[in-house]
Amino acid sequence: MNGSETLSSGAGAGAPRRSDATRGAILAAARERFATDGYERATIRAIAKDANIDPSMVMRYYGNKEGLFAAAVAIDLRLPDVSNADRRQDVGRILVEHFLDMWENNEVLTALLRVGVTNQAGAERMQKILREQLLPVARQVCPDPEQVPARAALMASQLLGLALTRYVLRIPPAMGLTRAEIVAWLAPTIQRYLTAPSP
């Protein structure tokens, strides 16, 4: 048995911590590899090498590349509660500032976006996150319940468009905008999408 296998096979009080450390190393390597290579080109063998473990350990914990990808890009957007009236009137600014924080401090989200624009599994994962996490926010503030999906999609189009141009494609004018400028331009649009009467 090699050294990497002992990380998760030992008994006793220290075993769970070693197992957690192994999982953490695998997920960190997977996020970096998926972000760099994309879903199709990233391999279990390369991820295991980056994590300094045997490929069989990756398979043991996550089953296959699809299972590993799902675990690596599990994201809680930690969206703010905007249900009270005061926050509802400022939901555009609140959400734009929140997403700027997320994009700038969460490499997992950027990795998912990179994969999502080129791979069906990544796109489906992104769709699930938006469906499960953005729809409830839109539901809190939308004046017409039947329009919640469309309004959430419009909101996503702006937020993902910004992320794609600024953090993935790194288009210079998008990168050159200050945080205050982004909020000033984008917040009113998000606000209108979510709370304005239907056109």
Side-chain angles (χ1 to χ4, degrees), residues 1-171:
M1 179 162 56
N2 64 35
S4 63
E5 290 174 316
T6 65
L7 288 174
S8 63
S9 60
R17 286 193 296 275
R18 289 194 297 271
S19 175
D20 289 345
T22 301
R23 288 177 183 271
I26 293 169
L27 292 178
R31 288 168 186 144
E32 182 65 29
R33 184 62 64 171
F34 284 131
T36 302
D37 293 351
Y39 182 85
E40 298 298 340
R41 290 192 301 148
T43 65
I44 294 291
R45 185 172 299 279
I47 291 166
K49 182 178 179 182
D50 293 343
N52 198 28
I53 61 168
D54 190 89
S56 65
M57 295 298 289
V58 179
M59 304 299 284
R60 175 178 174 178
Y61 284 124
Y62 300 104
N64 53 33
K65 186 164 76 167
E66 185 174 331
L68 174 60
F69 178 73
V73 298
I75 296 172
D76 179 359
L77 295 176
R78 302 188 302 277
L79 292 170
D81 180 4
V82 293
S83 58
N84 72 63
D86 290 340
R87 292 176 73 82
R88 193 175 302 140
Q89 294 173 2
D90 206 19
V91 64
R93 181 192 58 77
I94 291 169
L95 289 175
V96 172
E97 289 183 346
H98 179 80
F99 270 91
L100 282 171
D101 289 339
M102 290 293 293
W103 293 119
E104 291 170 2
N105 298 303
N106 190 330
E107 72 282 358
V108 180
L109 200 54
T110 305
L112 178 57
L113 185 59
R114 287 180 185 276
V115 175
V117 297
T118 60
N119 174 265
Q120 185 61 31
E124 290 173 359
R125 190 72 183 166
M126 181 67 85
Q127 290 167 16
K128 181 179 180 183
I129 290 169
L130 297 178
R131 183 171 59 248
E132 294 179 353
Q133 299 185 49
L134 272 189
L135 276 177
V137 172
R139 198 171 288 120
Q140 290 177 352
V141 299
C142 179
D144 184 346
E146 292 185 1
Q147 294 178 340
V148 165
R151 289 177 183 247
L154 288 168
M155 171 175 59
S157 74
Q158 298 296 310
L159 296 171
L160 294 179
L162 170 67
L164 185 64
T165 56
R166 184 175 173 90
Y167 302 113
V168 176
L169 300 177
R170 301 180 68 81
I171 294 173

